[in-house]
Amino acid sequence: AHTSVKALPDVISGASSEGMLWLRVVRASALPTEQLAALYRAGGELGEAMRYAELAIKQYDNEAQLMPPRRLVTDAAEIALRLNDAKKSLDILDRYRSAYETDREYAALKARVLTALNRGAEAAKISQSLIAASAGDQSLESRTWQARQALDVEDFDRANEL
């Protein structure tokens, strides 16, 4: 708390940023804007959720010079997709590809976005690699996940198989 209070004059004067204060000084697990984005999304207010998700990403990128968490990146991309802006969703995902492209949730969302953009071949390639990576896992959770991925790229035969 003492360090946080000492940092306040820097934030007020503009010498430091709010994002920096929350993430590096207070060491909060999430920015207030990130939490607001999640709350608005849960409440179905997607426009406000998008506004706060973009602000949170900006705070990570520009103010704290930290990589936004995968959850925030995929939430923002998912919100954009639900707002029928698949191009914006893909732009968000591509901006953080190098950090998250091996993450299963990131890749699954990217396949859905590519499908929405009528880029089915690319989506199928991603989906197939995800399914192949989890093929040895026959747990109910894994099979359900694999079926969902197949449905997302409109591979109905594969979904029925699972």
Side-chain angles (χ1 to χ4, degrees):
H2 176 67
T3 306
S4 302
V5 171
K6 285 174 52 178
L8 281 176
D10 287 343
V11 172
I12 293 168
S13 72
S16 187
S17 68
E18 181 183 345
M20 185 73 77
L21 172 73
W22 283 104
L23 294 171
R24 297 209 176 192
V25 178
V26 176
R27 296 180 190 226
S29 61
L31 292 169
T33 49
E34 188 177 351
Q35 294 169 349
L36 283 169
L39 288 171
Y40 278 118
R41 180 179 182 206
E45 296 182 48
L46 299 181
E48 286 297 301
M50 190 75 231
R51 184 167 77 92
Y52 283 107
E54 288 176 320
L55 182 57
I57 288 172
K58 184 177 173 183
Q59 287 178 314
Y60 274 101
D61 283 344
N62 300 336
E63 296 177 12
Q65 284 98 35
L66 295 171
M67 181 66 63
R70 194 262 319 145
R71 176 186 34 78
L72 176 60
V73 171
T74 55
D75 281 355
E78 176 75 31
I79 293 165
L81 185 60
R82 289 180 59 194
L83 289 169
N84 296 316
D85 195 346
K87 171 76 172 93
K88 182 177 191 172
S89 182
L90 185 60
D91 289 345
I92 292 167
L93 292 172
D94 282 347
R95 196 175 330 144
Y96 301 101
R97 178 181 47 237
S98 64
Y100 299 120
E101 69 185 336
T102 59
D103 180 88
R104 185 167 96 168
E105 297 304 318
Y106 170 93
L109 178 57
K110 185 164 183 176
R112 285 183 36 228
V113 170
L114 290 169
T115 299
L117 291 168
N118 295 318
R119 293 167 58 180
E122 291 173 78
K125 183 178 174 184
I126 292 171
S127 187
Q128 291 304 319
S129 69
L130 289 169
I131 290 169
S134 61
D137 185 354
Q138 293 301 312
S139 68
L140 178 59
E141 178 186 358
S142 177
R143 290 179 58 124
T144 302
W145 185 86
Q146 290 175 51
R148 180 70 194 152
Q149 296 317 301
L151 286 173
D152 283 345
V153 295
E154 300 175 2
D155 185 351
F156 302 113
D157 292 335
R158 176 73 177 145
N160 283 331
E161 233 177 75
L162 293 164

